Amino acid sequence: MKYTRGISFIEVIIASAIIVLIITGVISAYSLWISEHQVSAERVKNAILLEEGLEAVRSIRDKDWSALADLSITDTHYLTFSTTTSEWQTTTEPEWIDGVYKRWFEVDDVSRDNDDRITESGGSNDPGTKQITVYAAWNDRTGTTTTMVSAYFTNLFEN
């Protein structure tokens, strides 16, 4: 029997192919992880902006119900924080947050049935309740992503 020493050319090619496949897999997994991490961070920030939007509208409601109740239900409203008065205010001018996110809200009338339950159709208008829907949007690699959150606000302090 004749024994050969060393590595054959075919063994070198197979080992190199396996190493290339492993490296490619690791790089692809890392790239996907980075991409998903960025999207996840955008979603978290977006959720925070939505919650802040609801809190800002709640602050406006707490200060003066009519400032909220008198807003047009057909218009888009934006929020701005006044540093001079340290209060949230509504505006008609869109504001970009961190140059990436856009946030706005809409006001809708609320109807109640004879049992004083909120109803989608019929019933009578409740001037002491408004439905507020806050939207936030940002551009990502697939296009514009828009999310929203909605809540009912009442004239809690009767002001």
Side-chain angles (χ1 to χ4, degrees):
M1 274 195 213
K2 190 173 184 183
Y3 294 100
T4 59
R5 293 191 178 195
I7 301 173
S8 72
F9 183 68
I10 293 176
E11 291 171 332
V12 169
I13 290 176
I14 292 172
S16 297
I18 291 172
I19 290 171
V20 167
L21 285 174
I22 290 172
I23 290 173
T24 302
V26 168
I27 290 172
S28 296
Y30 182 70
S31 175
L32 180 64
W33 179 80
I34 290 291
S35 174
E36 289 302 315
H37 178 72
Q38 182 179 4
V39 169
S40 177
E42 288 170 345
R43 287 185 181 145
V44 167
K45 192 164 191 174
N46 182 64
I48 291 169
L49 289 173
L50 289 172
E51 182 64 29
E52 181 186 54
L54 281 178
E55 291 298 324
V57 173
R58 188 171 286 119
S59 172
I60 293 168
R61 184 264 331 249
D62 291 351
K63 182 176 179 238
D64 181 12
W65 170 253
S66 63
L68 181 63
D70 293 343
L71 292 174
S72 168
I73 63 170
T74 58
D75 292 338
T76 299
H77 308 282
Y78 301 93
L79 294 163
T80 185
F81 188 77
S82 171
T83 54
T84 56
T85 62
S86 297
E87 294 175 346
W88 285 100
Q89 299 172 344
T90 61
T91 181
T92 57
E93 294 296 319
E95 180 180 9
W96 287 93
I97 301 163
D98 295 340
V100 177
Y101 300 90
K102 184 177 171 183
R103 177 179 56 196
W104 67 95
F105 73 97
E106 295 174 352
V107 179
D108 288 313
D109 288 331
V110 175
S111 296
R112 293 189 182 269
D113 63 14
N114 292 337
D115 295 324
D116 205 30
R117 293 180 296 207
I118 293 174
T119 180
E120 293 293 321
S121 61
S124 58
N125 183 41
D126 178 3
T129 306
K130 297 290 181 182
Q131 182 178 18
I132 305 298
T133 306
V134 179
Y135 299 88
W138 78 94
N139 293 325
D140 60 14
R141 66 179 182 269
T142 60
T144 301
T145 300
T146 303
T147 56
M148 52 81 75
V149 64
S150 184
Y152 292 104
F153 285 75
T154 61
N155 188 0
L156 185 65
F157 301 114
E158 298 180 359
N159 56 358

